[in-house]
Amino acid sequence: MSVISSWNLTISLNTTLSLSWRSSLPSRAIFPRPKKPKTLVFLAIALGAKPTVLVSEKLGDAGIQLLKTFANVDCSYNLSPEELCTKISLCDALIVRSGTKVTREVFESAMGRLKVVGRAGVGIDNVDISAATEHGCLVVNAPTANTIAAAEHGIALLTAVSRNVAQADASVKAGKWERNKYVGVSLVGKTLAVMGFGKVGSEVARRAKGLGMQVIAHDPYAPADRARAIGVELVSFEEALTTADFISLHMPLTPATSKMFNDEAFSRVKKGVRIINVARGGVIDEEALLRALDSGIVAQAALDVFTEEPPPQENKLVRHENVTVTPHLGASTTEAQEGVALEIAEAVVGALKGELAATAVNAPMVPAEVLLELSPYVALTEKLGRLAVQLVAGGSGVKFVKVTYASARGPDDLDTRLLRAMVTKGLIEPISSVFVNLVNADFIGKQRGLRLTEERIVLDGSPEKPLEFIQVRIANVESKFASAISNSGEITVEGRVKDGKPHLTKVGSFGVDVSLEGSIVLCRQSDQPGIIGKVGNILSEENVNVNFMSVGRIAPGKQAVMTIGLDEEPSRDALKKIGEITAVEEFVFLKL
């Protein structure tokens, strides 16, 4: 194997960053400039003709005026599904909020003319993304303009529950004067746990510090230096639960965060804690919260979001005397609405001009022959990113990532933009609410301070398949699984495609071979007889099926890493039993 060429892409915020990577590559490796990506043009507009933009819900005037400088704007509100389908064939772009359902029927009715759908806000649940992609339609949203409004609403609810504002207001309006009943608690000196230290969470932290609160935060992937700059300490989930007087939720709704606040979590909180949620309703198990309120474990809750919106009238949580509720008002300020209007108008106009949209939530159409060849490697790169980020210890922060592609093809015969995007997708999506794809991957990575370097290793041999293996390394971080640290000091995972399916072939310096399906357990143990059987028995007792297993070792009788592929997620008790096996020195459970 020889390195005949390699190239470097660095994503930075303001300045070019030089990275020094420890490796065994020859010093003669060269780094030519990558080819400039071809511009993807989504719409060809006839000379002198303006495109037509349909705005189906109320949009701020600043956004409307910006649209009018470039397009003919049709503001038609409260359209029925049938009316929307009739009108859409005459439109090049559509802008909606949350009330308009942009279904597959809408895209089919457009008959290929609709090229851009703009969602004035963050969530895109009302847009059929799959249908949009199939019909070659770009979908963009406005993810940043609501940040301050959401943070301010979080603080408003925080102060409201501390002083019983809503309950006292209702009492006085009912003709009562119950001063003793509504004695509140002071915020000064109290501990606020910010759960999710992204844009909104960090802004809430800044404001809470100004109120004299002690602020801690839990976010496994938040950069520690950013938290320190604000004066916030990053802590574990357990420490956040057990020490906080107030808990403010700001994490996205993902499979990992769904019902994160359940009976088990509430059993570990400080008695009398107060909870504020302006994030997503699904991160709280509402039945569990109701039980915690009734038992006095949770003193009060302030909720702006619910699992079902609007919640049913008989909802016991909404009617609870110790719960303050608002109808999803996090983004509802005049300034935020104008900001969203401008942000979405700029994105739509840019897309109509043929520019790559930084806030795109779906990928542009990829040539069928390229997608067919690269599809198994697309799955491999995303899963390697997901594995690598889950191996990072909480609080470390992912900044420096290096991706190595090994291929017998020449540097000009393999476009890795899609693969790079999928690595970024795997690194970011599990812990974020954003959608990462070929269009926005570099932008999202830049936003989060990610420096991603790519390298090509050209192998001797037949170029029949595009890639031999792909390696992902994360530098300057601690690992939950020490054996994932390679000799170069980086978290390292490597994989290849076998029989059309992605396989994990290396963790740290240990060679393994496991299909990347379902979930994975990594165990480091002393190499001795019976360990595989003991782990297998624990999993079989839990009715957890093992789909793949391999063992990589340094030498007979020394240390070994066992990699187990699972079809189901084992229980907490099962994982605990694995950890209690005497020969097991460390283990980690990873979701794919």
Side-chain angles (χ1 to χ4, degrees), residues 193-209:
V194 176
M195 311 300 279
F197 201 64
K199 291 180 180 178
V200 177
S202 58
E203 291 297 334
V204 167
R206 292 177 192 275
R207 287 155 177 76
K209 292 283 290 184

Side-chain angles (χ1 to χ4, degrees), residues 522-540:
L522 297 177
C523 293
R524 184 185 70 189
Q525 73 266 359
S526 300
D527 187 29
Q528 57 184 258
I531 303 302
I532 295 174
K534 289 180 180 179
V535 174
N537 285 336
I538 292 171
L539 294 171
S540 65

Side-chain angles (χ1 to χ4, degrees), residues 230-288:
I230 301 175
V232 174
E233 179 187 1
L234 290 177
V235 300
S236 67
F237 185 64
E238 179 73 22
E239 186 175 350
L241 291 180
T242 57
T243 61
D245 301 298
F246 293 81
I247 297 176
S248 189
L249 309 186
H250 302 285
M251 69 277 285
L253 180 59
T254 67
T257 63
S258 178
K259 295 188 177 180
M260 176 179 280
F261 281 81
N262 48 30
D263 286 313
E264 182 182 358
F266 289 129
S267 70
R268 289 143 61 194
V269 299
K270 180 190 287 189
K271 185 176 175 61
V273 71
R274 290 167 170 82
I275 293 177
I276 297 93
N277 187 13
V278 294
R280 289 291 184 266
V283 301
I284 292 180
D285 182 333
E286 293 180 352
E287 293 296 327

Side-chain angles (χ1 to χ4, degrees), residues 95-108:
I95 294 180
V96 302
R97 300 189 72 85
S98 60
T100 302
K101 305 299 182 185
V102 190
T103 62
R104 179 172 294 275
E105 289 72 25
V106 173
F107 292 107
E108 291 173 349

Side-chain angles (χ1 to χ4, degrees), residues 30 104 148 155 164 190 195 277 314 316 322 330 336 365 395 452 477 492 498 508-509 513 530 565 575-577:
I30 58 174
R104 179 172 294 275
I148 298 302
I155 293 295
N164 301 299
K190 297 297 192 305
M195 311 300 279
N277 187 13
E314 66 276 9
K316 293 181 180 179
N322 291 328
M365 301 301 290
L452 191 150
V477 294
T492 302
K498 295 184 178 182
S509 299
D513 188 359
L575 294 174
K576 182 180 179 183
K577 289 177 183 177

